[in-house]
Amino acid sequence: MIRYVLKRLVISIPVLFLISVGAFILVHLTPGDPADMYISPDMTQAQIDLTRSALGLDKPWLIQYFEWIKNFFSGNFGFSFSSRQPVAEILAQRFSPTLLLMSVSLLAAYLAAIPLGIIAALNKNSWIDRSIIGWTFFNVSFPPFFLGLALIYVLGIKLAIFPTGGMVVLGQENDIAGRLMHLVLPVVVMASQFSANMIRYVRASVLDVLDQNYIRTAVSKGLSELHILFAHIFRNSLIPIITVIGTDLPKIIGGAVITEQIFQWPGIGSLTVAAINSRDYPILMAIVILSAVAVLLANLLVDVLYAVIDPRIRYEK
Amino acid sequence: MKETILSVKDLTISFQTLDGKISAVQGVSFDLKKGETLAIVGESGSGKSVSMKAINRVLPKSNTKYEQGEIVYEGRNLLAISEGEMEKIRGKKIAMIFQDPMTSLNPTMTVGMQIAESIIKHQKMSKDEAMREACNLMDLVGIRNPKTSSKNYPHQFSGGMRQRVMIALSLACKPDILIADEPTTALDVTIQAQILDLIDELKQKLHMSVIFITHDLGVVAHVADRVAVMYAGRIVEIGTAEEVFYYPQNPYTWGLICSMPSIDTKEAILYSIPGAPPNLMNMPKGDAFAPRNSYALAIDFEEKPPLFKVSESHYAATWLLHPNAPKVTPPAEILRRYEIFKSFYKTTEEVEVYDQCTSSFAG
């Protein structure tokens, strides 16, 4: 197993390299010149050229790419075009808000979704099942930006229960209750998305296991329903559930672009939007690479978990 | 006469489906005697499996309806007791072996644990004791190195070995009744015989009664003391194995026996019963087998035949046994079997009764 994990990690190096090349090309193909953002209308051509060469944009793409690689290995991912701060420093600031928002959202989503999915499956086609499934339909088809805006309007502005955005009240950074209040609305928006997806997977997976012959065997042994649920159904329905978790996990790094933007959450998601708007190549590249690393690691984690859960899945030595 | 351990009376079961109601079992009655092996024979969809699963109540709860009848075990109607009471009977008193050993074991649990589970539940043993007992059982059913095997997962076993695990699992609490639902269908022929012998041997050892569900008459001949033939949700003939094999009365049983290949079969084409079983959604009026039955009488299309008594132990549902029915000549193969039967039971009363019966038909 350790060999398998090491092998997968080694394979991911060329994958990351290819992703960085692809990302680099895409980012540079984006219309608009970053230098334009920092140029005022009264600048002379000499000043414009100076700005471009200061940003390194006057060099050929290949050279720019190698500069980027050099910066990557130096650990600071280069300097932001707009703020001139090291990219690593900016990311570090933005990382913890996103980590907080996404992990709380995922945790809340799963804590609700897994029991609800199981309940729906065990009561298939009853009114309980139908209301749970109806609820997930509502959440899946309701765009998060609209849900976010609706919540802000009703609970933030009309009823004024929750703050409409941001992470803390300025000047009261140590107020835990205030921080929690800021967390509620964005978590509700994120969690409703994650949980809707998860409920449907859990339900389908449990239904699939319920139909299996070994569940009939378990029933015929005289085991109680609760025992069968925990000892036989749950573990066997985990594979699709783990797969969904694997696709959700990278979002802890990548953040939620739209939700963070709506709630002015100072995380990676809103940084991404800002970086795109200002054509801040080094920041965009760093976010793409970090997200790719997160996806690769999550996939590896999922594959390892498969083998832990299901003894039939064993990877070559 | 042996003591009756389980009594099924007028069992009627239907399933609610999207297309409508399916009457899977229609008034099945039989007794299971202590220590005997009763074989239930029938085509797919004849209701044999459904009526036996009803005994342990392992049919899907959502769409199964027990219309009427009762299943009496130890003085209680199993269809009327609570789910909690039923859990104490399942696995402990009445155990089951299923058809497909490849899918009937949980792939993510060690086989030892799957056997131990019901021991822990029913015999209130600790996990370690139960695991030791599971090893003993695996040894009993002929699995080598039970200590190491018990820590393996089902996918590490072959089909025959998995069926042995299933048997060990069903025997975990020394049940009174073992229901084996086509236990050899998914296995190689060589393994089939081994499994049949094993079940038979364990039956003797543990003094169990066995209900054997199968569509394989060869299997029946191998194991059964008594045989019940089912067609379209009803028992159409029931008797001792000798009676059903060598003195069959129902034309459907004749058809089944004639379609069995034997060593002396000379014809290039094996006999098969014409037509297909009826759709259980809308059953024909009268005898369900009548449209496929070349011996059918006019009344067969009007009214279902009741079970006529042939002997104390032998009953058949066919109007041919009615005193007023015309005499028909069964197929040659059946007549040959009648001769064998008569040579065995020359002195017994039943044959004479039959002879009187046939002579009265003739007259």
Side-chain angles (χ1 to χ4, degrees), chain B residues 8 50 128 140 186 305:
Chain B
V8 175
V50 171
D128 288 344
L140 182 73

Side-chain angles (χ1 to χ4, degrees), chain A residues 124 212-225 227 231-233 235-236 309-314, chain B residues 53 56 58 61 87 90-91 94 96 98 100 103-109 114 117-118 121-122 153 155 166 169:
Chain A
K124 188 187 169 193
Q212 299 294 317
N213 286 341
Y214 55 81
I215 297 303
R216 190 182 57 191
T217 307
V219 172
S220 77
K221 280 195 266 187
L223 304 174
S224 68
E225 277 182 20
H227 180 104
H232 294 274
I233 296 174
R235 190 164 171 186
N236 281 296
I309 292 164
D310 192 334
R312 287 170 299 181
I313 302 174
R314 285 282 138 88
Chain B
K53 279 177 191 150
N56 234 350
V58 292
K61 268 181 223 136
E87 279 169 16
R90 278 190 208 121
I94 305 176
M96 297 188 82
F98 295 102
D100 191 353
T103 58
S104 292
L105 292 168
N106 182 344
T108 61
M109 191 187 270
Q114 294 192 51
E117 236 184 357
S118 71
K121 157 103 189 189
H122 294 299
Y153 290 91
H155 70 278
M166 274 302 290
L169 189 154

Side-chain angles (χ1 to χ4, degrees), chain A residues 46-176:
Chain A
Q47 285 173 307
I48 293 172
D49 289 345
L50 197 64
T51 311
R52 288 180 58 83
S53 82
L55 295 175
L57 293 165
D58 54 343
K59 293 174 190 140
W61 279 17
L62 200 63
I63 304 295
Q64 287 189 43
Y65 180 72
F66 281 115
E67 297 259 309
W68 181 82
I69 290 275
K70 210 176 78 195
N71 285 326
F72 176 83
F73 282 108
S74 76
N76 66 9
F77 294 92
F79 292 86
S80 158
F81 285 175
S82 52
S83 70
R84 307 306 297 156
Q85 280 175 286
V87 172
E89 213 170 272
I90 298 175
L91 285 179
Q93 284 168 13
R94 297 301 196 110
F95 184 64
S96 64
T98 287
L99 186 67
L100 175 72
L101 172 63
M102 299 306 276
S103 47
V104 171
S105 300
L106 279 179
L107 209 65
Y110 295 163
L111 282 179
I114 293 175
L116 282 175
I118 293 174
I119 291 169
L122 294 181
N123 298 287
K124 188 187 169 193
N125 292 341
S126 69
W127 65 268
I128 302 173
D129 179 31
R130 281 175 214 279
S131 13
I132 292 174
I133 287 305
W135 168 247
T136 68
F137 248 121
F138 176 77
N139 277 321
V140 165
S141 45
F142 216 77
F145 73 87
F146 190 72
L147 179 64
L149 291 177
L151 287 176
I152 288 174
Y153 181 72
V154 177
L155 296 174
I157 296 171
K158 286 288 159 188
L159 300 174
I161 302 172
F162 296 106
T164 56
M167 238 180 97
V168 287
V169 181
L170 280 180
Q172 299 175 18
E173 276 79 7
N174 294 326
D175 177 13
I176 301 289

Side-chain angles (χ1 to χ4, degrees), chain B residues 84-268:
Chain B
E85 288 298 305
M86 198 62 220
E87 279 169 16
K88 290 180 194 153
I89 290 176
R90 278 190 208 121
K92 187 178 187 194
K93 304 278 192 179
I94 305 176
M96 297 188 82
I97 305 173
F98 295 102
Q99 181 172 356
D100 191 353
M102 306 311 257
T103 58
S104 292
L105 292 168
N106 182 344
T108 61
M109 191 187 270
T110 62
V111 296
M113 192 57 211
Q114 294 192 51
I115 299 170
E117 236 184 357
S118 71
I119 304 175
I120 295 171
K121 157 103 189 189
H122 294 299
Q123 299 179 3
K124 313 270 177 286
M125 279 190 195
S126 75
K127 199 181 155 190
D128 288 344
E129 285 173 301
M131 282 303 272
R132 261 197 299 280
E133 179 62 24
C135 288
N136 292 341
L137 283 158
M138 288 175 74
D139 193 40
L140 182 73
V141 298
I143 296 172
R144 261 169 274 155
N145 305 325
K147 260 228 150 70
T148 38
S149 301
S150 67
K151 292 187 188 71
N152 286 346
Y153 290 91
H155 70 278
Q156 290 161 296
F157 291 81
S158 68
M161 282 297 149
R162 283 190 219 185
Q163 197 58 298
R164 284 173 193 264
V165 171
M166 274 302 290
I167 294 171
L169 189 154
S170 63
L171 298 179
C173 299
K174 316 271 180 296
D176 292 342
I177 301 171
L178 178 67
I179 301 173
D181 188 355
E182 307 204 25
T184 58
T185 307
L187 303 176
D188 290 345
V189 184
T190 45
I191 309 294
Q192 278 188 12
Q194 288 177 16
I195 295 291
L196 292 177
D197 291 339
L198 176 67
I199 292 175
D200 212 43
E201 181 195 320
L202 294 169
K203 182 193 107 173
Q204 312 288 350
K205 244 185 221 169
L206 303 172
H207 310 291
M208 292 185 296
S209 310
V210 177
I211 298 178
F212 225 99
I213 305 166
T214 182
H215 55 243
D216 185 341
L217 288 177
V219 168
V220 177
H222 198 99
V223 298
D225 300 316
R226 282 199 308 140
V227 179
V229 181
M230 283 189 73
Y231 185 78
R234 301 183 74 211
I235 290 184
V236 295
E237 182 151 11
I238 183 166
T240 65
E242 292 79 17
E243 285 166 335
V244 173
F245 271 99
Y246 290 100
Y247 201 51
Q249 298 302 316
N250 195 305
Y252 179 65
T253 319
W254 296 349
L256 282 186
I257 288 173
C258 292
S259 47
M260 217 177 16
S262 79
I263 282 239
D264 342 300
T265 306
K266 287 187 186 70
E267 291 85 2

Side-chain angles (χ1 to χ4, degrees), chain A residues 225-278:
Chain A
E225 277 182 20
L226 216 58
H227 180 104
I228 294 173
L229 177 65
F230 286 111
H232 294 274
I233 296 174
F234 192 65
R235 190 164 171 186
N236 281 296
S237 13
L238 273 180
I239 294 272
I241 297 173
I242 294 288
T243 313
V244 179
I245 294 179
T247 59
D248 283 347
L249 276 184
K251 292 173 191 157
I252 288 189
I253 308 288
V257 173
I258 295 168
T259 309
E260 286 190 11
Q261 190 67 12
I262 289 172
F263 289 97
Q264 302 132 49
W265 194 262
I268 303 275
S270 50
L271 177 67
T272 310
V273 176
I276 292 171
N277 284 337
S278 60

